[in-house]
Amino acid sequence: MAQQKSFSSNLGAIMAAVGSAVGLGNIWRFPYICGKYGGGAFLLVYLCFVFLLGSVLMMSEFVIGRRSQHTPIKAFQTLYPKHKAWGLVGALGIVTSFFILSQYLVISGWTTGYVWHSVSGVLSSLGTDSAAISSFFTEFSTSPWTPVLFLGVFSLIVLIVILGGVQKGIENVSKVLMPLLVLLVLVLCVRSLTLPGAGKGVEYLFSPDFSKLTGEGVLAALGQALFSLSVGMGVMIVYGSYIPAGDNIFKTAMWITGCDTLIAILSGLAIFPAVFSCGFEPTGGPGLVFLVLPNVFNSMGAASVVFASLFFLLLMVAAITSAISLLEALTAWICDHTQIRRWVGAVLFFVLTTALGVMFSMSIGSLSHIKITGLTLFDFVDRLNSIYLPPLCALGTIIFFGWVMPEEDIKDELSNHGTLRLGYYKLLRFMARYVAPLALLVVLISGIIS
Ligand code: PHE
């Protein structure tokens, strides 16, 4: 057994995994992707993917991690030693985590910058002038050095928490600050829903118009479901290996899926009413949250600075707990394969992902002339990270879980060696063997063709 680390309690494990799942994916990414692909219809497809695929994948990653007590590559090889090639699925996960973290740092840097600009009062000085808020965002995100500076600050914080160790660092931070974030999103919902013309936003989110749904939208919903739940990249295999032996994997996965989805929907409720009320377009793209929320805060009068600062700070914390899980997965992986010290591994991946993140960040501004297949570096890696790599890795994982890994091992692990009842097992097995792989295959192929 290479790893003896584990979270200290069931709550700790849940909170840390919720910390990984809840992040920019819910609050920054979900609203803009949902807006881009048509609102309500997208939401429905997204929910199907989350519950039919995402939760099944999460359970399978937890089982693979806890059963093997290893990180992605070795996990597959330990559970099925006959064909070491299954380790390739794990390798794909590691590569995906690496690229996702590099890109994640860019948006986290923006968030960190917005904390600074909220506290210093710059953001509130823009008032509710949508044009001024837009040009502030464009100037900020495309300027050559400012976002890079904040990106660096953010990565450094992540590194420091990682070096603090699994329990102390990840668990304690998650336990306290996640509930606070939810509270603040709720406050935002109330504010947003009471803005004039808010009803249009609610309608946009909840009344599906299927004529707006495209094949690309379906693929994007899948990508978003995987991204938001942190599955399809091996991270939950690593966290699975930290789940205490007595924990109920099914319940843990269900809690995480539920919390993550709730927060995404609440974010939608906080953003879309304001989008319509303030005259923005729901298709505004990656800047959506950074354009709309300052407007909402600045309509809150004297308290705007406090609310904006607190919100961006908590969003930053949510991003930290997600980034931690990615850096933790990479660090744990290299420690599982080499003799290097944990801190050396962490610093190594910190340096590599930060450097790549800086390039992605600059590709939005000063390096925007560099294109791969007609896309800027940032857009290119965004495609890779949302519609190609995670679904592919997810497909490998679910086929392994459904068809390759010995069934007795799965049952033994899910039931904690026969002590828990597995009333859901038949359904899970059916989903894992047929529904999930087929759906992934169809969506992947149609996405690649289109
Ligand atoms: N799920 C995180 C979010 O929603 C992002 C993430 C993806 C974290 C993959 C870890 C692994 O922000």
Side-chain angles (χ1 to χ4, degrees), residues 326-349:
L326 288 157
L327 188 58
E328 171 65 25
L330 295 167
T331 306
W333 166 71
I334 199 156
C335 291
D336 203 10
H337 283 261
T338 63
Q339 295 298 317
I340 67 171
R341 301 251 190 98
R342 193 179 143 82
W343 74 266
V344 179
V347 171
L348 175 75
F349 279 113

Side-chain angles (χ1 to χ4, degrees), residues 20-26 100 104 227-230 233 235 322 325-326:
S20 170
V22 175
L24 296 172
N26 306 62
I100 288 199
Y104 207 76
F227 184 87
S228 192
L229 293 175
S230 308
M233 46 217 86
V235 168
S322 299
S325 70
L326 288 157

